[in-house]
Amino acid sequence: MADSHETLVDGNFLAAKCLGRCGVTHMFGVVGIPVTSLANRAVSLGIRFLAFHNEQSAGYAASAYGYLTGRPGLLLTVSGPGCVHGLAGLSNAMANTWPMVMISGSCDQNDAGHGDFQELDQIETVKPFSKFSVKARNIKDIPNCIVQVLDRAGSGRPGGCYLDLPSDVLHQGVTELEAERLISTALSSSKWSESGNVIGSSEIERAVELLRNAERPLIVFGKGAAYARAEDEIRKFVERTGIPFLPTPMGKGLLPDSHELAASAARSLAIGKCDVALVVGARLNWLLHFGEPPKWSKDVKFILVDVCKDEIELRKPHLGLVGDAKRVLELLNKEIKEDPFCLGKSHPWVEAISKKVKENVSRMEVQLSKDVVPFNFLTPMRIIRDAILGLGGPAPVVVSEGANTMDVGRAVLVQTEARTRLDAGTWGTMGVGLGYCVAAAVAEPGRLVIAVEGDSGFGFSAMEVETLVRYQLPVVVIVFNNGGVYGGDRRGPEEITGPFKDDPAPTSFVPGAAYHTLIEAFGGKGYLVETPYELKYALTESFSSRKPSVINVIIDPYAGAESGRLQHKN
């Protein structure tokens, strides 16, 4: 009998084994030619494969998994159109700066250029959407290529990377002994790094002095700080200095929304009047009005903390600190500890923020306290908020997308723990919902996952409710059903003309669609709710069961606004 070390293994086995040795525990994707065997090999070697109905949702899952775990999320696709569909997730990872790797099979190299099955120059195709791409041209290249894409996805500013595995390479063979040697060599020779500048003590001192001497300082933090696990350092910094803070949407929860220095409910005052803003792990992009007037004061001085030097050079802040958010905050805390200062509750700026927060919260609570039926957006959102808070800890992961649904949810739902909110993010990506739910369920197995979705956002990935049921994931999907992209037909008389004027509006769906029955087709639980009592019952039962569920909440089709809070851009 031949020695087991002389047994031949193919590229599928080698790739799967190398991924496992690199610490990969989960993969997301859609199988088919030529990668089905790769998925099966990965499962046999202890990697959990989450199979989706389309590569877009699987890609969104991989991108969110990278954010939640700090390790690159893995997407596996077939060649050609599968690779193209997967670009949605890869580009989403790049825009949000989350670590992700897309692995696609490709046609036999000898047949390239002859019109092979699903042929595409995938390396060229992915370039605009990835920070690094590589093709394994021989089975012996596979381990080095895998190590490279995993390293680069998480190094420096995280992002998406791509690995191309041609069909012929997956079918080549090496001995088990050679496979082990190739993997060990690849792991030991990995030297890739994108280290940022070493921050000088003078830069830290200067940042603290700017904040110390400011009359109206503000701390802004985003999902970059959440990714860096900087919540403890942020809490120390805020409580030592007494400076009000403003989180971006996915920065919510690094400090509880209920914190006495939270300025979210006084956002316009906070950003409009602050004179020094420490921005940590957030970009001065459209979400922060580009850091420019009229939303910001023309005289505001920005201290920008970012892991990427290019980002700081692009924004041209008053002071830039290049480095990991957690490490920079550690240095800032050390500097303050040695020479402390704190604004205090009676500081005029803190008092002004606190007063405006109380005024705006009180005004909002008056609206939230009303039980409006047929439902507007506020009544069900308040009921959902209270039900979530009633769960205690650990806090569930809340996934949200949609125009009005997401915007109202940002204002009403309360985040108390870091990395427990996932929404459309930097790119404003719709369709992320169900993919994000799957990612959250496997990345945070101790938490319930609750999706609060507009019916349009839900529709992008609604078939993935079958995926929730198939893997029995603890996900409750709440659909705000207002019959359209923004609700009812909002066209003016001058727009209802022409030969197709009797067609439904481009923004309209079938009224009263029975979304709750979709999950029932696969054995999940569906609820149709139109009253506060029905919604409270559905939430209580579904939260308690922790089984895949869809709650179809019927909303007045004219309750929302076109484009949510971005109507001016439409």
Side-chain angles (χ1 to χ4, degrees):
M1 181 179 294
D3 191 304
S4 62
H5 288 313
E6 297 177 2
T7 303
L8 287 179
V9 297
D10 64 8
N12 296 293
F13 180 92
L14 179 60
K17 187 169 185 180
C18 186
L19 288 168
R21 288 281 297 277
C22 288
V24 172
T25 59
H26 291 82
M27 295 176 69
F28 309 87
V30 177
V31 297
I33 298 172
V35 297
T36 304
S37 293
L38 174 54
N40 287 331
R41 281 295 190 182
V43 172
S44 71
L45 292 173
I47 296 173
R48 191 179 191 190
F49 190 89
L50 286 299
F52 282 71
H53 286 274
N54 73 70
E55 291 91 353
Q56 277 195 343
S57 291
Y60 294 144
S63 68
Y65 182 89
Y67 168 65
L68 291 169
T69 65
R71 303 187 303 274
L74 264 290
L75 168 64
L76 181 65
T77 84
V78 301
S79 52
C83 173
V84 171
H85 295 165
L87 292 178
L90 193 67
S91 55
N92 189 63
M94 285 298 295
N96 285 302
T97 70
W98 293 345
M100 174 187 162
V101 170
M102 180 167 84
I103 301 176
S104 296
S106 60
C107 72
D108 191 306
Q109 294 175 96
N110 291 329
D111 295 326
H114 296 92
D116 195 17
F117 175 70
Q118 295 186 336
E119 181 182 338
L120 176 69
D121 187 343
Q122 292 165 197
I123 290 291
E124 284 300 313
T125 301
V126 305
K127 278 184 178 178
F129 308 100
S130 60
K131 62 183 289 191
F132 174 73
S133 58
V134 65
K135 184 173 191 172
R137 300 186 180 278
N138 181 281
I139 187 172
K140 295 183 179 181
D141 297 336
I142 289 176
N144 273 327
C145 289
I146 286 175
V147 169
Q148 281 184 307
V149 291
L150 289 172
D151 279 356
R152 297 197 187 197
S155 298
R157 164 160 281 185
C161 292
Y162 173 73
L163 170 59
D164 194 279
L165 294 177
S167 175
D168 54 300
V169 171
L170 291 173
H171 292 138
Q172 290 171 3
V174 294
T175 66
E176 285 191 10
L177 185 63
E178 176 71 353
E180 182 59 38
R181 186 190 67 78
L182 289 168
I183 293 171
S184 297
T185 301
L187 289 171
S188 64
S189 63
S190 173
K191 296 178 181 178
W192 179 263
S193 67
E194 292 183 54
S195 56
N197 292 354
V198 177
I199 304 169
S201 59
S202 62
E203 294 173 296
I204 295 296
E205 291 169 4
R206 187 179 168 200
V208 171
E209 276 305 300
L210 282 167
L211 292 166
R212 187 194 309 276
N213 295 325
E215 293 182 9
R216 297 175 302 280
L218 179 68
I219 302 167
V220 180
F221 48 78
K223 63 180 178 292
Y227 177 79
R229 273 44 180 186
E231 52 266 33
D232 290 342
E233 286 71 24
I234 284 175
R235 178 184 54 77
K236 290 176 185 176
F237 190 83
V238 167
E239 293 178 356
R240 280 177 179 170
T241 63
I243 298 175
F245 67 87
L246 178 70
T248 64
M250 273 193 270
K252 284 163 63 71
L254 281 166
L255 284 177
D257 289 340
S258 57
H259 194 285
E260 62 183 358
L261 288 169
S264 295
R267 177 187 171 95
S268 295
L269 172 65
I271 68 175
K273 297 295 184 182
C274 75
D275 57 355
V276 176
L278 173 67
V279 182
V280 185
R283 281 172 282 177
L284 294 175
N285 56 18
W286 67 277
L287 284 163
L288 290 174
H289 314 290
F290 310 106
E292 297 173 352
K295 294 293 186 179
W296 294 85
S297 165
K298 63 182 178 63
D299 298 318
V300 63
K301 295 177 180 177
F302 286 107
I303 306 167
L304 187 55
V305 179
D306 199 284
V307 74
C308 179
K309 183 179 180 181
D310 290 344
E311 178 68 22
I312 289 175
E313 291 177 349
L314 172 67
R315 306 298 174 180
K316 296 179 173 60
H318 185 80
L319 176 62
L321 302 177
V322 181
D324 173 79
K326 182 175 182 177
R327 176 57 181 155
V328 173
L329 283 164
E330 286 174 348
L331 295 172
L332 290 171
N333 277 322
K334 181 180 178 182
E335 178 68 21
I336 290 169
K337 185 177 180 181
E338 293 175 356
D339 189 6
F341 74 94
C342 186
L343 301 192
K345 294 181 180 180
S346 61
H347 189 281
W349 175 237
V350 176
E351 284 189 335
I353 294 288
S354 179
K355 180 182 178 184
K356 180 58 70 173
V357 165
K358 289 175 182 176
E359 289 174 357
N360 289 345
V361 168
S362 295
R363 192 177 298 115
M364 174 68 84
E365 286 300 324
V366 169
Q367 297 301 314
L368 288 169
S369 67
K370 302 172 184 176
D371 280 344
V372 178
V373 180
F375 279 145
N376 59 10
F377 282 87
L378 292 176
T379 296
M381 201 67 76
R382 180 206 78 220
I383 294 169
I384 294 165
R385 176 196 69 183
D386 294 346
I388 290 174
L389 290 173
L391 290 172
V397 176
V398 174
V399 175
S400 188
E401 63 177 329
N404 295 284
T405 305
M406 183 174 66
D407 285 335
V408 174
R410 283 173 173 173
V412 176
L413 300 179
V414 177
Q415 308 299 141
T416 58
E417 297 180 29
R419 295 169 297 282
T420 57
R421 181 177 176 86
L422 296 167
D423 65 23
T426 303
W427 228 21
T429 311
M430 291 296 133
V432 296
L434 274 292
Y436 281 9
C437 286
V438 174
V442 298
E444 298 282 352
R447 299 183 191 267
L448 179 67
V449 181
I450 301 168
V452 184
E453 303 261 306
D455 51 356
S456 174
F458 175 67
F460 280 91
S461 59
M463 191 62 185
E464 301 301 346
V465 297
E466 188 275 339
T467 308
L468 303 181
V469 175
R470 186 170 9 115
Y471 292 103
Q472 282 297 294
L473 301 175
V475 177
V476 177
V477 181
I478 305 167
V479 182
F480 277 50
N481 182 358
N482 63 352
V485 176
Y486 306 118
D489 188 345
R490 293 157 188 268
R491 294 174 296 175
E494 73 282 358
E495 295 176 293
I496 308 177
T497 59
F500 304 107
K501 62 183 176 60
D502 294 326
D503 276 358
T507 56
S508 296
F509 299 149
V510 172
Y515 295 120
H516 58 291
T517 64
L518 180 60
I519 197 167
E520 291 176 345
F522 307 111
K525 179 69 174 177
Y527 303 85
L528 173 65
V529 305
E530 299 182 75
T531 69
Y533 172 79
E534 291 170 342
L535 179 55
K536 289 175 184 177
Y537 173 81
L539 292 170
T540 299
E541 185 171 277
S542 60
F543 287 5
S544 176
S545 72
R546 298 175 68 89
K547 298 291 185 182
S549 308
V550 171
I551 303 175
N552 186 11
V553 183
I554 304 300
I555 305 290
D556 181 343
Y558 299 100
E562 182 185 349
S563 302
R565 295 182 184 178
L566 291 174
Q567 186 171 358
H568 65 287
K569 290 186 178 289
N570 204 16

